[in-house]
Structures are given as structure tokens and as C-alpha cells.
Amino acid sequence: MNKTKTLVLTALFAALAVIGSFIKIPIPPGTPALDAAPAFVSMAFLPAPFAAAAGAIGHIATSFTAGFPLTLPIHIMIAAEMAIVVGVGAYLFKKGKKALAWVWVAISNGVLAPLPFYWIISPAVYVAVAPGLLMATGINVVVACIVLPFLQKKLAQSGIKLI
């Protein structure tokens, strides 16, 4: 895939993540939304750094639409975590380890990503937030797994191939 197609697809997935940021999942802390599903789908189509960028942009949009309930610096850290989660997932996906990529995304985003709050804020915050984030991650993974085969077929018909 050439650079132009890569940038256009990155912008497309980032825009879809922003749209998903408006579809909130009603669990604490108020920011979980369907922004991660497009980023997770992008793992199949984009190089890891570009998929990571789509994931980070999606989180920033989600936290913006929720009013940055945990302050902007913390949301920048979460966006960086999201970039790592999606970037590693994309790397695993490209290596043919698709099942491992989905397991990585679910565990790292739902369990490991909120772990710094254990020390930054309090253990109680982690215990209160982690189950909801794991549930929200599960919803995003399920949506991505449902959408991905249809999108792969449509993009293949358009001449866009998996990397």
C-alpha cells in the first residue's frame, strides 16, 4: 500500500474513532465509548504506528466529549497507552497471530491500561474502574470482530489489500 492510501486509511479510521467517541458505554469513569472498535479494526489494514495513531486520536476525542473527567494530562497518558495497545495488536496481526492480537487487546486495554491508576490515584479507583473498562473493551472487540470481515471483503473489492 502506498503512502497516500496509508494516510487516507489512517484518517478514515481516526475519523471513525471520533464518531465512535460519541457513542458512550454507560460505565465509570464516563469516558468508555465505541472509539476503540475502529482502532481495533485498523490493526488489520494499517502498519502499527498508523493504527496506534488512530487509537490515540480516538481516545482523545472520547475524553474531550466527556469533558476530560480525569484531567487532560491523565487522558494524554491513556491515549499513549491506547497507542501502545493498538500498535502491538497491529504488529501481532501482521505477524499472522490474529487470535493473540485480540487477546492482547482485550487484556492490555481492559486490565493493564488502567493499572497505573492503582498508584497514581488509589487502589480503589483501579478496582472501581477496571471491570467497566474490561467490559467496554469486550464490547469494542466484539464490534470490531463483527465489522472486520465485512470491511475486508469490501476493501478487497476496492483494491485495498491487507498489509
Side-chain angles (χ1 to χ4, degrees):
M1 183 174 351
N2 66 37
K3 289 180 183 180
T4 303
K5 283 185 181 179
T6 302
L7 289 175
V8 168
L9 274 179
T10 303
L12 172 72
F13 284 116
L16 289 171
V18 170
I19 292 167
S21 74
F22 288 97
I23 305 169
K24 300 291 186 212
I25 300 170
I27 54 176
T31 57
L34 291 180
D35 63 308
F40 295 159
V41 171
S42 77
M43 297 184 318
F45 299 101
L46 295 172
F50 293 90
I57 290 167
H59 176 74
I60 291 296
T62 297
S63 55
F64 180 76
T65 62
F68 293 108
L70 298 172
T71 75
L72 180 59
I74 288 180
H75 282 291
I76 290 171
M77 180 189 78
I78 295 168
E81 289 176 333
M82 188 65 175
I84 292 167
V85 167
V86 175
V88 171
Y91 174 80
L92 292 170
F93 209 94
K94 302 301 177 289
K95 292 292 181 186
K97 300 177 181 180
K98 296 175 185 176
L100 183 58
W102 292 119
V103 170
W104 159 258
V105 164
I107 292 172
S108 63
N109 197 52
V111 178
L112 300 178
L115 198 54
F117 295 115
Y118 186 91
W119 294 281
I120 294 172
I121 300 174
S122 77
V125 170
Y126 176 79
V127 170
V129 170
L133 290 177
L134 184 58
M135 184 173 60
T137 299
I139 292 168
N140 277 284
V141 167
V142 168
V143 169
C145 287
I146 291 170
V147 169
L148 183 58
F150 296 105
L151 191 57
Q152 285 175 320
K153 182 179 177 185
K154 205 58 158 165
L155 291 177
Q157 290 171 348
S158 301
I160 298 173
K161 299 175 186 167
L162 289 174
I163 295 172

